[in-house]
Amino acid sequence: TSDFFQAYWWLLVLLIIAALLGLRAIYHNEKGRRWLDTRMLSLPIFGLLVRKMAAARFARTLGSLLDNGVSMLPAMGIVQNIVGNMYLADVVAQSATEVSKGQGLGKALDRGNAFPPLAIQMIQVGEQSGNLEEMLNKVADVFEREVETTAMRLTALVEPLMVLVMASFVLFVVLAICLPIFEMNQHIR
């Protein structure tokens, strides 16, 4: 390993730079960003976290806009840009089209399977009860708490993992120092 890194360190640096530039190019391209955002939603733990964060942003912003007298369709246009994920922004845009045709917001959002089912159900209840703004704020509160709890759990899981990684590095360094000493000791005898 040492010989490889001594001889080809420049190749490793070039690969890292190429990977970073490739990711940057993909992210700045609309199709590439859409692809990355779609893949991000399909990740096991982080995909659900991204969905919950987007639902919280969507609900908080839409609820605030509706509370302050902005009508539904312009508010949906504003919220579309705030979601932070191209796939979810497309779902919001399609939902705005469905809402403009007379469909309820909850049913329109449910078609994309982009937002958590609890958010959809709470929005539908808010529409039926006539308290959509209040319910959107409650949706935002619920999902903000869930995101915070999930982030704390992930942090708690990462700490032992970091300890194991650091212990592996320390073990590697100790073995790299001690093994040559033991070999020298064997040659002396």
Side-chain angles (χ1 to χ4, degrees):
T1 305
S2 175
D3 291 340
F4 175 79
F5 283 123
Q6 284 179 354
Y8 298 108
W9 62 270
W10 55 271
L11 183 62
L12 185 63
V13 171
L14 285 177
L15 286 174
I16 291 172
I17 290 172
L20 291 175
L21 289 175
L23 280 175
R24 182 174 179 229
I26 288 172
Y27 193 73
H28 288 303
N29 181 356
E30 185 176 337
K31 285 183 180 180
R33 181 153 183 222
R34 189 176 316 278
W35 181 82
L36 276 177
D37 286 347
T38 304
R39 296 299 164 257
M40 179 73 73
L41 293 175
S42 65
L43 292 174
I45 295 172
F46 295 105
L48 185 60
L49 188 63
V50 167
R51 285 179 199 273
K52 288 178 181 180
M53 285 179 8
R57 272 193 219 133
F58 170 82
R60 178 75 63 204
T61 307
L62 187 61
S64 296
L65 289 170
L66 293 176
D67 265 344
N68 290 313
V70 179
S71 62
M72 179 65 82
L73 292 178
M76 293 283 286
I78 293 169
V79 170
Q80 175 184 349
N81 299 325
I82 292 178
V83 174
N85 185 299
M86 294 282 288
Y87 176 76
L88 295 176
D90 290 344
V91 169
V92 171
Q94 291 169 356
S95 299
T97 304
E98 295 296 319
V99 168
S100 70
K101 293 178 182 175
Q103 183 145 32
L105 177 63
K107 283 191 178 184
L109 288 173
D110 193 25
R111 287 188 180 190
N113 289 329
F115 292 100
L118 179 62
I120 303 298
Q121 291 169 357
M122 290 177 75
I123 289 171
Q124 288 174 341
V125 167
E127 285 178 319
Q128 291 171 357
S129 66
N131 294 326
L132 182 59
E133 297 87 3
E134 270 182 52
M135 194 57 79
L136 284 169
N137 288 325
K138 287 180 182 180
V139 167
D141 291 339
V142 165
F143 284 105
E144 285 169 355
R145 270 187 252 120
E146 283 191 24
V147 165
E148 185 178 334
T149 303
T150 305
M152 288 173 52
R153 285 181 184 162
L154 287 175
T155 304
L157 289 175
V158 167
E159 289 173 5
L161 184 65
M162 289 300 293
V163 169
L164 288 174
V165 168
M166 292 304 294
S168 300
F169 282 132
V170 169
L171 178 66
F172 180 75
V173 169
V174 167
L175 288 177
I177 293 172
C178 291
L179 284 178
I181 293 172
F182 291 142
E183 281 184 29
M184 285 179 18
N185 193 16
Q186 292 294 329
H187 290 297
I188 293 175
R189 290 182 190 182

